[in-house]
């Protein structure tokens, strides 16, 4: 008789929730906690060894934070309709918390969209509204040599949904750009084994993007032309699961080759 022992490992992750999606998105697809839990759970299960995720969500819009920032292996900062340079109390509180995590813990920090931008602002970089305008929906993003090395891949591009007008223009010290598009040269960054940030949304399904586009077309933010161009490509294949496995690997400490 053979005995197989499968050892499951644990990762303790805090989500710092920076927005509540539109009600129609929450009702059909879930809030940010559900969107990221779905994405990351799949990646964690296929990791070798399999990883059990222990997730706590903190609504930082309402000032909720972990009492002891050092108990988590990793932090994930979500997207938001707000701008990382907005002078709002909750955003300056969030930047202070990022600085605390940076200085007083060994936690790994992953930022998505607004999360990517607010990490840059907190640690000495800069974010502005992009004069090139919005980047919306399905996008093919270039992965540079540094990105390929850090992400342990031969991939030269990744496909991901976008929803942003702001972008990072100045990196914090010790951060490196790993992905870019012509309109947004700083699409993703890495800093040692501590920070991984990305402008796109690996947690957005095409349905989520469709709802945002529908709402922003109705409110006049996106023109008919822009909206229909986005909807034409929104169901194209994406590399979300691949990137989710990179996120799990980054949190775990070794990014597997793929
Ligand atoms: C790349 O992945 C392989 C196996 O998946 C691993 O052994 C190696 O340490 C990784 N390299 C880096 C630089 O992370």
């Amino acid at each position: 008789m053979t005995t197989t022992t499968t050892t499951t490992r644990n990762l303790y992750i805090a989500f710092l929730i920076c927005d509540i999606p539109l009600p129609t998105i929450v009702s059909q697809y879930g809030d940010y906690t559900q969107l990221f839990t779905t994405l990351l759970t799949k990646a964690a299960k296929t990791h070798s060894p399999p990883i059990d995720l222990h997730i706590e969500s903190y609504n930082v819009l309402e000032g909720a934070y972990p009492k002891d920032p050092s108990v988590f292996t990793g932090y994930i900062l979500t997207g938001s309709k707000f701008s990382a340079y907005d002078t709002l109390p909750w955003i300056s509180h969030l930047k202070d918390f990022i600085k605390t995590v940076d200085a007083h813990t060994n936690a790994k920090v992953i930022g998505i969209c607004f999360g990517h931008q607010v990490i840059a602002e907190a640690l000495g970089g800069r974010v502005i509204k992009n004069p090139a305008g919005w980047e919306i929906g399905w996008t093919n993003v270039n992965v540079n040599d540094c990105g390929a090395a850090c992400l342990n891949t031969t991939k030269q591009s990744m496909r991901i949904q976008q929803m942003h007008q702001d972008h990072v223009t100045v990196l914090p010290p010790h951060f490196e750009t790993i992905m870019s598009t012509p309109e947004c040269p700083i699409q993703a960054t890495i800093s040692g084994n501590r920070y991984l940030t990305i402008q796109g949304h690996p947690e957005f399904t095409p349905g989520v993007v469709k709802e945002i586009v529908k709402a922003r077309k109705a409110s006049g933010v996106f023109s008919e032309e822009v909206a229909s161009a986005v909807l034409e490509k929104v169901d194209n294949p994406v590399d979300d699961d691949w990137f989710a496995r990179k996120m799990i690997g980054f949190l775990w400490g070794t990014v597997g080759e793929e």
Side-chain angles (χ1 to χ4, degrees):
M1 202 179 101
T2 42
T3 317
T4 317
T5 316
T6 310
T7 315
T8 303
R9 311 294 170 87
N10 298 294
L11 268 181
Y12 296 85
I13 304 174
F15 290 172
L16 303 183
I17 305 294
C18 304
D19 206 359
I20 313 285
L22 295 167
T24 171
I25 293 174
V26 174
S27 65
Q28 296 178 74
Y29 306 101
D31 59 12
Y32 275 122
T33 298
Q34 287 160 314
L35 291 170
F36 278 107
T37 300
T38 304
L39 177 78
L40 295 174
T41 301
K42 211 189 319 174
K45 271 192 198 143
T46 59
H47 188 267
S48 174
I51 292 175
D52 268 348
L53 298 181
H54 302 268
I55 294 163
E56 298 280 343
S57 279
Y58 296 89
N59 184 343
V60 299
L61 283 165
E62 291 175 355
Y65 285 92
K67 278 201 197 70
D68 177 359
S70 68
V71 303
F72 291 101
T73 311
Y75 287 91
I76 295 181
L77 282 76
T78 73
S80 182
K81 61 179 154 302
F82 294 93
S83 288
Y85 48 76
D86 285 343
T87 50
L88 294 168
W90 76 267
I91 294 178
S92 52
H93 190 173
L94 177 58
K95 289 177 185 171
D96 289 343
F97 184 79
I98 294 166
K99 288 181 206 161
T100 300
V101 167
D102 187 66
H104 301 294
T105 78
N106 297 314
K108 299 170 193 304
V109 183
I110 296 180
I112 309 292
C113 194
F114 171 87
H116 153 81
Q117 298 164 2
V118 79
I119 290 166
E121 281 258 317
L123 299 179
R126 187 155 182 243
V127 175
I128 63 162
K129 186 179 279 191
N130 194 343
W134 286 87
E135 202 168 36
I136 316 160
W138 185 90
T139 306
N140 199 28
V141 175
N142 175 62
V143 177
N144 66 20
D145 290 347
C146 175
C150 293
L151 296 177
N152 208 349
T153 189
T154 55
K155 253 183 178 326
Q156 295 186 319
S157 64
M158 85 164 281
R159 302 158 298 175
I160 192 165
Q161 303 285 356
Q162 303 269 0
M163 192 55 68
H164 74 110
Q165 188 172 21
D166 289 346
H167 74 147
V168 177
T169 52
V170 178
L171 291 174
H174 314 300
F175 277 63
E176 292 174 280
T177 299
I178 60 171
M179 296 185 198
S180 59
T181 57
E183 298 75 22
C184 170
I186 304 180
Q187 279 282 347
T189 75
I190 208 157
S191 178
N193 63 359
R194 291 289 311 271
Y195 294 92
L196 173 63
T197 75
I198 189 162
Q199 183 58 69
H201 287 271
E203 82 286 13
F204 276 6
T205 60
V208 171
V209 175
K210 285 177 200 170
E211 290 298 343
I212 298 172
V213 169
K214 209 197 291 178
R216 291 188 174 166
K217 189 174 82 174
S219 64
V221 176
F222 297 161
S223 67
E224 289 275 348
E225 292 74 20
V226 165
S228 55
V230 172
L231 295 178
E232 245 172 58
K233 288 192 289 187
V234 75
D235 290 308
N236 284 2
V238 287
D239 297 303
D240 293 352
D241 290 330
W242 173 82
F243 192 73
R245 291 191 291 274
K246 298 300 178 186
M247 290 168 71
I248 291 294
F250 190 80
L251 294 168
W252 179 247
T254 317
V255 178
E257 189 174 6
E258 144 173 47

